[in-house]
Amino acid sequence: IDRHEERTSEAVERLAGEFGQSRVAGFVTDLADRDALGHWLPEVERFLGPIDLLVNNAATNVLGPLVDVSNEAWDRVIGLNLTACFTLARAVLPGMLARGRGAIVNVSSIAAFGHGVENNTPYAASKAGLNALTRSLAVEGGPFGVRCNGVAPGLIEGPFLSARREDYREDLEQTPLRRFAEPADVAAVITFLASDDARHVTGEVVNV
């Protein structure tokens, strides 16, 4: 699910080539739009069956001093990074609870932790809230066999970092492995937390 039609189509084509057309579906929507949820969620279940796994990975950011952050920018960051995760979890949780199984993985950020990140307050606040949501869902879902964990990436190789690499040289020097993570490094931890290998892991937020 993505709000970019071309990117969604490319992902579906790539995944369908690996797993088969009948096992992959793409949906174009803005996850911050709560009203749209009722339209596409039934389509997902009709096409793929009951939802046993939810990965909340969509996010946005606004950079700058807090005094310059508009109400609209704050609402957008909180709405997508935190509220959309709550809305999606609330939508899929009843089915998971009824079936006695399920896993939710929330993609957080190292920005959520207490050291603070300059000019990044809305994002850090949204991800700290997501960590709290993760732990609360773990407590609620645990007695019914539903797990909820989080992954907290640092800086990830990609277009954003490529365009600003010099700005983050100090961050690279403070990273123990002296490299930034690849997307696959994060995906591997998500895959583990979603799998039965992590059947007794819940309420955790794993830094990557």
Side-chain angles (χ1 to χ4, degrees):
I1 301 166
D2 201 322
R3 65 189 179 97
H4 299 280
E5 187 169 359
E6 183 178 353
R7 192 161 64 192
T8 302
S9 297
E10 290 173 353
V12 168
E13 184 177 351
R14 186 170 64 251
L15 291 167
E18 185 172 352
F19 297 107
Q21 190 68 50
S22 64
R23 298 184 64 190
V24 183
F27 301 87
V28 179
T29 190
D30 183 346
L31 290 171
D33 182 356
R34 296 193 213 184
D35 295 332
L37 181 65
H39 299 297
W40 59 260
L41 189 60
E43 289 296 314
V44 173
E45 294 186 311
R46 271 197 292 270
F47 192 87
L48 296 173
I51 296 173
D52 292 320
L53 168 65
L54 169 66
V55 178
N56 280 313
N57 187 44
T60 189
N61 197 2
V62 54
L63 298 173
L66 185 63
V67 295
D68 294 334
V69 175
S70 67
N71 289 342
E72 292 76 16
W74 173 271
D75 289 345
R76 175 66 183 171
V77 173
I78 298 298
L80 183 59
N81 297 8
L82 179 58
T83 304
C85 299
F86 150 75
T87 305
L88 287 162
R90 184 180 61 183
V92 304
L93 199 55
M96 291 181 175
L97 297 177
R99 292 186 297 275
R101 67 179 187 278
I104 298 172
V105 182
N106 295 320
V107 179
S108 180
S109 169
I110 61 169
F113 296 96
H115 59 277
V117 179
E118 187 179 11
N119 295 331
N120 207 23
T121 301
Y123 184 80
S126 70
K127 294 300 188 177
L130 185 58
N131 288 354
L133 177 66
T134 298
R135 290 187 286 268
S136 295
L137 279 173
V139 172
E140 286 194 27
F144 303 92
V146 178
R147 299 181 299 106
C148 185
N149 290 289
V151 175
L155 287 164
I156 305 297
E157 293 287 358
F160 175 87
L161 187 57
S162 296
R164 301 167 178 83
R165 192 168 295 277
E166 284 302 313
D167 297 337
Y168 292 101
R169 182 174 296 277
E170 185 176 340
D171 297 81
L172 180 62
E173 293 170 354
Q174 293 175 356
T175 301
L177 292 175
R178 297 299 190 273
R179 70 173 182 87
F180 294 128
E182 300 282 346
D185 297 323
V186 182
V189 179
I190 293 173
T191 301
F192 165 71
L193 292 173
S195 75
D196 287 341
D197 289 337
R199 62 186 177 275
H200 203 69
V201 179
T202 194
E204 293 298 318
V205 179
V206 181
N207 288 352
V208 183

